[in-house]
Amino acid sequence: MLTVYSDAHRLQHGQSELIDGTLKPCFETPSRADMVLAAVRERELGDIIHPRRHGLDPILRVHDADYARFLETAWQRWSDMGRDYDALPKMWQIRRLREAIPDHVEGQLCYYSMDCGTPITAGTWAAATAAADTALTGADRLIGGERAVFALTRPPGHHAAFDYCGGYCFLNNAAIAAQALRDRGMRKVAVLDVDYHHGNGTQDIFYRRADVLFLSIHGDPRTEYPFFLGFADEKGEGEGLGYNFNFPLSAGSCVSTWFVALDCALDQIARFGAEALVVSLGVDTYRGDPISRFQLDSPDFVTLGARLAGLKLPTLFCLEGGYAVGPIGTNVVNVLAGFEARG
Ligand SMILES: NCCCCCC(=O)NO
Ligand SMILES: [Zn+2]
């Protein structure tokens, strides 16, 4: 399987995030991608190519232009105030506060952020656009006839919505790629999110559309991040009604329960008649993940890959979460190798 990778991911290296009431080192670190790349090489998964630049247009097909401009300019405006530390919001535009977009960068940081765990740094825009190019290059190769491609995307993307960032995500790599597949002629595209956390951003982007089916298996938002989206009754709106499927599972759910949900999701994808599949591949469903609470073990990721191959669809994998850095490479490549082995 072909891998698309850019070293530019290293430019996103936040220093801290608020956890358990104190600022702690970010879980979303460059070492995650290093370990995955090492495993791709070690397991001889296939060729590794660098992304082609695609510019802003494909990004603006799913993201708000003002939001993109904020991401692009935030750090310079932040550092122009003499601030050399990560840009993090310190409040939110919560219910019954005015929804006007502030002029000042500090206010915009609050307006465009979902949480305080997604630091904007000097290299954020460069890293995020390189990740989007990585996913888009994978989509290009799928259109060119590849059966499956792995986009080693970092920073991740599935929490990034039309006009806000969060959950370590700035640009929604999987959504950008799904839209590119649509723009290149694929009539129906499915996005399956197997990360521990609900892909609120991807749902937000496609919620009112019937041409992109979104499905997510994740920790129940009643207790798990992102708390305010990802419930089973969210089925789409307008033309998109019936094209959104959430499978929330209680924290601590067993592996067999997880795979029952997966099979239900795969059945919906087959019914939809998808011509291509984009997988938001988070491996924070791993039993040893430090911030998540599912039970998958490394061999289960091989099974996941094989089940996905059973759809016989051109498939683009976009890396999302996974914070047990030691086994992340094994777990990610297990999915990809399991997919390949199924043939
Ligand atoms: N800082 C709160 C938890 C962020 C979750 C990030 C993630 O793995 N999303 O898939
Ligand atoms: Zn996650």
Side-chain angles (χ1 to χ4, degrees):
M1 186 182 302
L2 181 70
T3 294
V4 191
Y5 168 80
S6 168
D7 211 40
H9 76 83
R10 216 170 288 288
L11 295 168
Q12 176 60 21
H13 191 180
Q15 293 310 299
S16 49
E17 62 176 283
L18 185 63
I19 291 186
D20 302 332
T22 63
L23 281 176
K24 292 183 176 171
C26 288
F27 280 101
E28 205 294 297
T29 59
S31 61
R32 297 178 57 242
D34 293 339
M35 294 295 281
V36 174
L37 183 64
V40 165
R41 289 191 169 124
E42 188 185 316
R43 303 266 292 269
E44 297 178 344
L45 187 70
D47 292 341
I48 300 169
I49 64 169
H50 293 298
R52 175 173 72 82
R53 284 180 182 277
H54 291 73
L56 205 48
D57 289 350
I59 291 170
L60 298 183
R61 293 285 290 136
V62 298
H63 285 295
D64 172 58
D66 291 336
Y67 168 61
R69 191 171 308 111
F70 161 73
L71 287 179
E72 186 173 16
T73 63
W75 178 258
Q76 188 56 56
R77 296 157 67 197
W78 181 261
S79 57
D80 286 350
M81 294 193 302
R83 297 178 174 179
D84 60 357
Y85 48 87
D86 291 1
L88 285 168
K90 56 187 176 187
M91 72 167 288
W92 282 267
Q93 184 270 321
I94 196 77
R95 287 172 299 289
R96 293 179 297 287
L97 293 182
R98 291 186 61 148
E99 200 163 327
I101 303 177
D103 293 329
H104 192 268
V105 63
E106 183 131 40
Q108 289 185 1
L109 186 58
C110 301
Y111 180 84
Y112 286 117
S113 297
M114 171 172 86
D115 64 20
C116 56
T118 310
I120 292 180
T121 72
T124 296
W125 178 247
T129 50
D133 283 330
T134 298
L136 285 163
T137 302
D140 293 343
R141 291 304 182 104
L142 232 50
I143 294 291
E146 292 282 352
R147 176 170 170 269
V149 181
F150 171 44
L152 206 172
T153 42
R154 186 186 167 269
H158 72 143
H159 291 302
F162 171 68
D163 60 355
Y164 64 75
C165 62
Y168 315 146
C169 304
F170 303 94
L171 297 175
N172 196 313
N173 308 310
I176 291 167
Q179 182 60 53
L181 290 169
R182 285 283 298 109
D183 291 342
R184 304 281 294 273
M186 294 222 172
R187 288 180 312 104
K188 291 184 177 183
V189 176
V191 181
L192 173 63
D193 192 324
V194 295
D195 187 283
Y196 179 77
H197 304 92
H198 177 248
N200 61 283
T202 316
Q203 175 171 312
D204 177 72
I205 288 167
F206 295 121
Y207 203 59
R208 302 184 62 80
R209 291 175 49 175
D211 59 327
V212 177
L213 177 71
F214 177 66
L215 313 98
S216 179
I217 306 165
H218 50 271
D220 191 326
R222 284 179 299 177
T223 62
E224 307 304 302
Y225 184 99
F227 302 113
F228 299 103
L229 212 63
F231 294 86
D233 64 353
E234 296 155 16
K235 298 184 181 298
E237 268 177 12
E239 287 183 12
L241 184 61
Y243 295 95
N244 193 91
F245 289 88
N246 285 326
F247 301 91
L249 302 177
S250 301
S253 289
C254 65
V255 173
S256 56
T257 300
W258 194 90
F259 276 103
V260 167
L262 177 70
D263 287 341
C264 291
L266 299 181
D267 181 53
Q268 291 298 344
I269 293 170
R271 290 164 186 264
F272 172 61
E275 293 174 38
L277 173 66
V278 177
V279 179
S280 271
L281 180 57
V283 291
D284 41 6
T285 48
Y286 176 58
R287 59 182 308 139
D289 194 88
I291 67 168
S292 310
R293 297 195 281 169
F294 278 166
Q295 302 295 324
L296 271 67
D297 206 344
S298 297
D300 295 316
F301 291 103
V302 178
T303 307
L304 167 56
R307 293 279 179 89
L308 294 171
L311 285 171
K312 304 284 183 211
L313 289 174
T315 302
L316 173 65
F317 293 90
C318 291
L319 181 64
E320 300 287 0
Y323 308 100
V325 178
I328 189 174
T330 300
N331 292 339
V332 169
V333 178
N334 276 0
V335 175
L336 308 175
F339 183 96
E340 294 261 278
R342 177 66 183 273

